Every structure is written in structure tokens, then in C-alpha cells.
Amino acid sequence: MIDMTIRGVLFDVDGTLYDYEKAEEFGLHEHLVAEELSDRFESPAEALRVWREVREEEYPRFLSGELTFAAQKAARIRRFLAQAGVVGALEVTDEAATAWFASYAVRRDAVRRAFDDAQPTLGALAGRFRLGVVSNSVTAHQRAKLEAIGLLGYFTEPLVCSQEHGAAKPAASIFLAGCQALGLAPAEVAYVGDDYEKDAVGARDAGLRAIWLDRSVSRGPGAVGAGIRVIASLTELTGL
């Protein structure tokens, strides 16, 4: 049961409410088949590993302000195609790289969905708590995503995203902006996310009630810092 002194709950999106990794895996596989690039990798798993490795290196450049949201996509495509052995990959224009990413995204988004526990949990919480979003992304992108998976209506506007806010999690300011959007003090707000450092530690250090969603049960109790509650499913938030 959520502590009744809590009056609001803020959520991360990707990996918490939205099953991004499953959609990403499907979309990449289908796109590589369509582009006749599947045989450039030893296996679909290897292609996915390379894709995610590049993403994990380039996306932080967007979060830091070094690249725009569009530019990090183009950079990812150039690097990925280079690792696939595509001749001239690093010289691909922004327009061509953006088009390649957009085609992949259509296939990814064809299967995007919320985690099974997301909508029932939000429905149960909505009558008792103010609900909001704090995400390391772009507001329009996350709003469209939440609308597509049927969750947007549960949340207070504005959604708080790093692009518009000007700082990314785990910076305290973005969590505090989320609290402000709810009209609540940090101590009255829980933050739920799947990234231990960015979400749980960041929220705790900003003065919120930190709840780490560890779906894979990857850490034992002794490996979790003080002031961080661990759940394996969003349904644990309802107290059922």
C-alpha cells in the first residue's frame, strides 16, 4: 500500500509504462529484413546488441544538449550502418538517416503497447492520487506515445520532459518540476521508474519518495540504497 501521506505519483515512461524493448526488438528485426541487411549480422540478437549499444552511447548526447533529438537519431543510424558494413555509412546525409530511422520507427510503433500492469494500476490510482510524467525525452514524442498506448488521459498536464525542461534525470530540478506540475511538495510525491540510478536514486536525492520498478528482480535487498522502495510490478502500487 502506498503511504497515505503521498498525494501524487510521477512516472517514467519507457521501460516503466511502455514496453519499449519488445517493440524495439520487433521493429529492428522487421526493418533489417525489409532493408536486406539481416545477413550483415551473425544473428538478430547480435544486431539488437549493436543497435542498443549505439543507442546507449548516442542518446546521452541528446540529453546533455550536445545533439538535438533528430541529430542523435541520425548519428545512431550512421554508426549502426557502419557496423553493419554498409559502404559510405558515415557519410549518409541527415535526411537519409532520418528517413531510415522513420521507416524503422513505423515498424516499431506497429507493435507498441503498454505493459500489462500499466493501465489497471493507473486506473486504480487515478481516483486517489494526482498522476504525472517525468521523462528524459521530448514532450510531443512522449505525449503521442502515451496517447497511442491508451494512457495519456491518466496524467496531469504538462508532461515534464528533459528537452523542454532543460535538464535530464537524475538532475533534481526535473523531478521538482514534476512536483510543481502536480502542485505538490516533493515529500508528497512518489516517483516510479525502472532505471535505478536515473529514476530511483535521482528521485530520492531530490526529496521524493523513490520507487524502483525492478521487473527482472535483478538486485537483492542489500544492493538497494536507503530510502528506495523496490517493486517487481506496477500492481504493487495499488496495495492489492
Side-chain angles (χ1 to χ4, degrees), residues 36-135:
E36 299 183 350
L37 292 173
S38 296
D39 62 356
R40 299 298 185 101
F41 297 93
E42 293 179 3
S43 65
E46 175 61 12
L48 184 64
R49 184 196 67 77
V50 173
W51 176 261
R52 287 177 173 168
E53 181 178 83
V54 172
R55 167 167 58 81
E56 290 302 311
E57 292 175 1
E58 294 296 333
Y59 198 73
R61 298 176 67 198
F62 154 66
L63 295 178
S64 70
E66 180 183 348
L67 296 177
T68 65
F69 194 57
Q72 63 86 24
K73 292 180 182 179
R76 287 162 59 183
I77 297 311
R78 292 188 189 97
R79 287 187 55 192
F80 179 75
L81 293 179
Q83 292 204 47
V86 174
V87 176
L90 296 179
E91 285 73 49
V92 168
T93 65
D94 286 348
E95 292 77 11
T98 298
W100 199 98
F101 192 99
S103 295
Y104 147 74
V106 168
R107 295 180 167 94
R108 177 199 65 197
D109 293 349
V111 296
R112 63 183 173 185
R113 66 177 185 84
F115 282 104
D116 291 340
D117 55 2
Q119 192 157 13
T121 299
L122 294 175
L125 297 179
R128 297 184 287 143
F129 303 96
R130 302 177 198 177
L131 305 180
V133 164
V134 170
S135 174

Side-chain angles (χ1 to χ4, degrees), residues 62-232:
F62 154 66
L63 295 178
S64 70
E66 180 183 348
L67 296 177
T68 65
F69 194 57
Q72 63 86 24
K73 292 180 182 179
R76 287 162 59 183
I77 297 311
R78 292 188 189 97
R79 287 187 55 192
F80 179 75
L81 293 179
Q83 292 204 47
V86 174
V87 176
L90 296 179
E91 285 73 49
V92 168
T93 65
D94 286 348
E95 292 77 11
T98 298
W100 199 98
F101 192 99
S103 295
Y104 147 74
V106 168
R107 295 180 167 94
R108 177 199 65 197
D109 293 349
V111 296
R112 63 183 173 185
R113 66 177 185 84
F115 282 104
D116 291 340
D117 55 2
Q119 192 157 13
T121 299
L122 294 175
L125 297 179
R128 297 184 287 143
F129 303 96
R130 302 177 198 177
L131 305 180
V133 164
V134 170
S135 174
N136 279 355
S137 188
V138 175
T139 300
H141 180 68
Q142 295 301 66
R143 181 180 287 113
K145 181 186 299 177
L146 289 167
E147 184 171 24
I149 62 177
L151 301 182
L152 182 61
Y154 291 107
F155 297 108
T156 300
E157 291 281 5
L159 309 182
V160 178
C161 291
S162 58
Q163 171 69 23
E164 292 74 19
H165 173 69
K169 297 178 293 184
S173 66
I174 193 169
F175 292 105
L176 299 180
C179 296
Q180 185 175 15
L182 296 184
L184 298 172
E188 297 177 298
V189 179
Y191 187 82
V192 184
D194 69 302
D195 187 298
Y196 180 76
E197 294 294 337
K198 292 185 180 71
D199 295 330
V201 174
R204 180 199 64 188
D205 291 353
L208 287 72
R209 308 293 185 91
I211 301 176
W212 179 41
L213 176 61
D214 182 19
R215 292 184 184 278
S216 62
V217 193
S218 61
R219 299 192 186 197
V224 176
I228 296 174
R229 177 183 171 188
V230 184
I231 60 174

